[in-house]
């Protein structure tokens, strides 16, 4: 099964992968299939049938980056998604269905939403950054924040898929680029003034 280089085992446990592949095998199990693409992000949405009887369908979103070669976010309103780490079987099913039959997903415009360059970030994050003596206020967009070790650029991309807003935050510095996957952990590191690096 071709998944554009994506290894589902990196995002979901084996049981969720197995059950998700089973769900995707029945085309009628996934309805309202949609995809929005931009230069570097694709947001795939759909409603995946429930086998538990809790609901008829669950709303599912999976966000791909780097020409659909990796998953950067996923969401499902099923109970398992809230209780366990990793992708649930519904997110796996949507991913498998998308790569198996991409033409079955309706294309719906650009994923990027227009953002005013003069709009500032949330007050809480601004206060967190201002608590550091070497930080300056950050604005939504790609503006520099001067840091002790050099200059860091925060690139903030907001996306709206018709139902949900999502944010992709990339930190770009002299030693490379870091995609922030856990905003809360990132904010705590900024508060504590910690240095952090991630392998490729």
């Amino acid at each position: 099964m071709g998944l554009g280089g994506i290894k589902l085992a990196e995002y979901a446990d084996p049981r969720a992968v197995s059950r998700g592949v089973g769900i995707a095998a029945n085309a009628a199990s996934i309805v309202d299939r949609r995809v929005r693409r931009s230069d570097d992000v694709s947001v795939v949405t759909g409603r995946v049938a429930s086998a538990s009887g809790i609901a008829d369908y669950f709303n599912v979103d999976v966000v791909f980056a780097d020409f659909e070669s990796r998953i950067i976010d996923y969401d499902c309103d099923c109970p398992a998604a809230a209780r366990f780490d990793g992708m649930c079987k519904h997110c796996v099913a949507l991913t498998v269905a998308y790569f198996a039959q991409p033409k079955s997903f309706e294309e719906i415009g650009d994923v990027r939403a227009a953002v005013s360059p003069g709009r500032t970030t949330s007050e809480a994050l601004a206060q967190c950054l201002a608590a550091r003596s070497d930080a300056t206020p950050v604005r939504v967009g790609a503006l520099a924040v001067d840091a002790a070790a050099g200059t860091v650029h925060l690139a903030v991309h907001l996306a709206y898929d018709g139902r949900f807003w999502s944010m992709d935050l990339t930190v770009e510095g002299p030693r490379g680029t870091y995609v922030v996957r856990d905003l809360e952990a990132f904010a705590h590191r900024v508060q504590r003034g910690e240095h952090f690096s991630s392998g490729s």
Side-chain angles (χ1 to χ4, degrees), residues 16-189:
V17 171
S18 175
R19 295 176 79 186
V21 169
I23 293 170
N26 179 1
S29 294
I30 304 172
V31 298
D32 296 337
R33 301 172 182 218
R34 294 188 175 97
V35 60
R36 287 183 181 226
R37 293 189 178 95
S38 70
D39 292 339
D40 55 357
V41 175
S42 297
V43 178
V44 176
T45 63
R47 292 174 52 234
V48 180
S50 166
S52 63
I54 295 172
D56 291 334
Y57 289 90
F58 294 112
N59 297 310
V60 183
D61 303 292
V62 181
V63 183
F64 302 98
D66 299 333
F67 305 102
E68 299 175 356
S69 66
R70 67 188 174 96
I71 297 170
I72 59 171
D73 199 9
Y74 47 86
D75 186 50
C76 179
D77 57 9
C78 76
R83 285 197 318 257
F84 303 109
D85 289 333
M87 294 174 80
C88 68
K89 63 185 178 183
H90 307 105
C91 290
V92 170
L94 186 69
T95 301
V96 170
Y98 177 68
F99 282 100
Q101 297 179 317
K103 293 187 178 186
S104 70
F105 285 74
E106 177 188 358
E107 298 257 357
I108 49 172
D110 194 338
V111 73
R112 293 274 171 87
V115 177
S116 167
R119 189 169 145 199
T120 59
T121 190
S122 73
E123 187 175 333
L125 187 55
Q127 288 175 356
C128 170
L129 291 168
R132 294 197 48 200
S133 59
D134 57 354
T136 59
V138 177
R139 294 184 180 277
V140 172
L143 298 179
V145 176
D146 292 329
T151 299
V152 175
H153 297 277
L154 296 178
V156 180
H157 305 284
L158 295 176
Y160 181 68
D161 70 357
R163 289 183 299 157
F164 300 103
W165 281 97
S166 63
M167 182 180 76
D168 181 29
L169 177 64
T170 305
V171 180
E172 302 165 346
R175 295 187 181 177
T177 300
Y178 171 70
V179 176
V180 178
R181 289 187 174 86
D182 185 337
L183 188 58
E184 183 178 11
F186 174 72
H188 288 306
R189 287 187 182 112

